[in-house]
Amino acid sequence: MFSELFYKDPYIKEFEAAVVSCEKSKKGWEVVLTQTAFYPEGGGQSADKGCLVFGGEKAEVLDVRRKEDKICHLTDREIPVGSSVKGVVDWEQRFDNMQNHSGEHIFSGLVHRTFGYDNVGFHMGAEFMQLDFNGPMSFDQMQEIEAAANRIIWSNVEIGELFPEKEELDEIDYRSKKELTGEVRLIDIPEADLCACCGTHVKRTGEIGLIKCLSLINNKGGVRIEAVAGRKALDMVGKIQAQNTEVSHLLSAKPLETAKAVERLMSENTSAKEAFVRGINMYLELKEKSLVPEEDMILDFEENLSPVQIRQFCDRLVKRGDAKICGVFSRKEDGEEGWNYCLGSESIDLRAASKDLNRELNGRGGGSPVMIQGMYLCGKEAICEALKKLVLK
């Protein structure tokens, strides 16, 4: 156990090996080598990627999994059994994983020391890590742990690797997600964490560079935190800065004052919306007075009314009681010919009529016997003719 090359030297980028077996699978070829520096997926850490070079040819390593006592490399092409290969590990991805995995140990260890919570879920994704803890935590508390984690990172302490005997292990207070058998490997980070782990790690905490928490949400009685470390943290901070710079230009605000500028804009927008709604209501009050029934119908075609405004205005027209059926329509905003509608009546079963109307007017929607609402994809004239048939039949 722990005899693979990625354990002996996690910084190894290339190695020589021979092909023991190569079997076709659904997603490619499963290749087993005499030795490997490719880390197989496990412990929340994603598998290494890279390539195997043989006889002037190259097979891409798409995934690496441990199957029983073998490590299988999923490749995009067949490699003859017995071939000598040079394995080339995608070092950027590997080092990203090492930075993030070591950063996670520091953060999770400090959470355990501070609150007594266990890390009950850990996954390293393409952009960030996901950490689940089995107890509550506030955003401010998360930031305090983040600050403490970064102090340990910047202290550049050595990350140790221990293989204690079982009797010694029984006396050690260490973190582990499950009961362990056989040889146990402990990752020791002074003043932060001592945890059983099968992943790859940096030699000193300073190589992590930075850990940054991105979000915190409540999750199954605990919290789920998204975080990122190392190069990925720098990239993420750069993306956030670029977004904030763009927002600051749009709002003509200083980079550290964008939140205040957005708050002010939202307030102004709310006031503008309220004034707009008041204007619409005044317009509809005047419009209502001008509408008179024609052939027992009141049909009003408008622009830019919301579904709620359409329904409310239709209800007002129905309550007047001087028409057999009332309809309010507002043109669709996407440029496609059609109308959002609401029809109301106190004497016609509109729910029964809605299927025929939808079929004739290429529409969808429905409702109750006294009011239906939806959309018709047709012209104004077709709507008027169909409703005349309904009212006058």
Side-chain angles (χ1 to χ4, degrees), residues 151-372:
R151 286 194 293 269
I152 289 174
I153 289 172
W154 301 328
S155 67
N156 197 31
V157 298
E158 184 177 356
I159 296 180
E161 184 182 48
L162 309 176
F163 295 93
E165 298 294 334
K166 185 179 187 308
E167 295 76 14
E168 183 183 3
L169 186 67
D170 292 339
E171 302 300 320
I172 298 176
D173 183 18
Y174 66 95
R175 292 192 305 118
S176 178
K177 293 186 178 70
K178 59 183 180 180
E179 292 291 328
L180 301 174
T181 59
E183 188 174 26
V184 175
R185 173 179 181 248
L186 300 181
I187 298 300
D188 181 23
I189 305 176
E191 305 301 323
D193 191 38
L194 182 63
C195 182
C197 181
C198 62
T200 57
H201 294 271
V202 296
K203 290 181 179 179
R204 304 188 73 90
T205 59
E207 296 178 70
I208 300 168
L210 171 71
I211 185 167
K212 185 64 187 171
C213 296
L214 305 174
S215 67
L216 178 147
I217 61 171
N218 295 325
N219 179 55
K220 299 178 180 179
V223 292
R224 171 167 292 174
I225 293 173
E226 290 179 348
V228 65
R231 182 189 66 84
K232 288 186 175 181
L234 181 62
D235 286 350
M236 182 63 73
V237 170
K239 291 176 181 177
I240 293 171
Q241 181 186 20
Q243 288 285 327
N244 189 58
T245 299
E246 185 176 348
V247 171
S248 71
H249 288 163
L250 291 171
L251 298 177
S252 298
K254 295 179 180 180
L256 296 181
E257 297 178 358
T258 52
K260 290 182 179 178
V262 170
E263 184 178 354
R264 183 176 63 252
L265 183 64
M266 291 177 64
S267 177
E268 292 172 354
N269 188 44
T270 298
S271 298
K273 284 184 177 179
E274 291 173 350
F276 176 76
V277 169
R278 288 195 298 271
I280 287 290
N281 290 336
M282 291 175 62
Y283 164 76
L284 293 178
E285 287 178 7
L286 293 173
K287 188 63 178 290
E288 180 185 352
K289 295 176 181 178
S290 68
L291 294 173
V292 295
E294 294 184 12
E295 301 182 73
D296 279 337
M297 297 189 302
I298 296 178
L299 304 182
D300 181 40
F301 292 84
E302 299 287 347
E303 303 281 345
N304 302 319
L305 292 186
S306 70
V308 172
Q309 290 168 332
I310 294 171
R311 184 178 66 253
Q312 290 175 342
F313 191 42
C314 182
D315 186 56
R316 284 167 57 177
L317 295 176
V318 171
K319 288 179 178 178
R320 283 178 20 176
D322 56 351
K324 197 172 182 181
I325 186 170
C326 298
V328 178
F329 307 84
S330 183
R331 196 184 306 275
K332 284 172 54 62
E333 297 179 358
D334 55 13
E336 185 178 10
E337 184 181 34
W339 301 83
N340 295 312
Y341 75 86
C342 182
L343 294 172
S345 176
E346 295 180 341
S347 58
I348 299 175
D349 187 344
L350 292 177
R351 183 162 56 189
S354 63
K355 291 184 179 180
D356 292 336
L357 288 171
N358 284 337
R359 183 170 53 253
E360 186 167 344
L361 300 176
N362 189 23
R364 62 174 182 266
S368 68
V370 297
M371 183 168 287
I372 57 175

Side-chain angles (χ1 to χ4, degrees), residues 43-44 97-111 119-124 129-133 149 153 175 177 189 193 195-197 201 208 211 227-229:
N97 283 347
M98 291 165 63
Q99 288 180 312
N100 279 270
H101 205 154
S102 298
E104 178 272 325
H105 271 240
I106 294 173
F107 190 90
S108 295
L110 290 174
V111 168
N119 181 331
V120 293
F122 170 55
H123 173 71
M124 276 195 286
M129 303 180 286
Q130 182 174 286
L131 294 74
D132 293 343
F133 297 100
I153 289 172
R175 292 192 305 118
K177 293 186 178 70
I189 305 176
D193 191 38
C195 182
C197 181
H201 294 271
I208 300 168
I211 185 167
V228 65

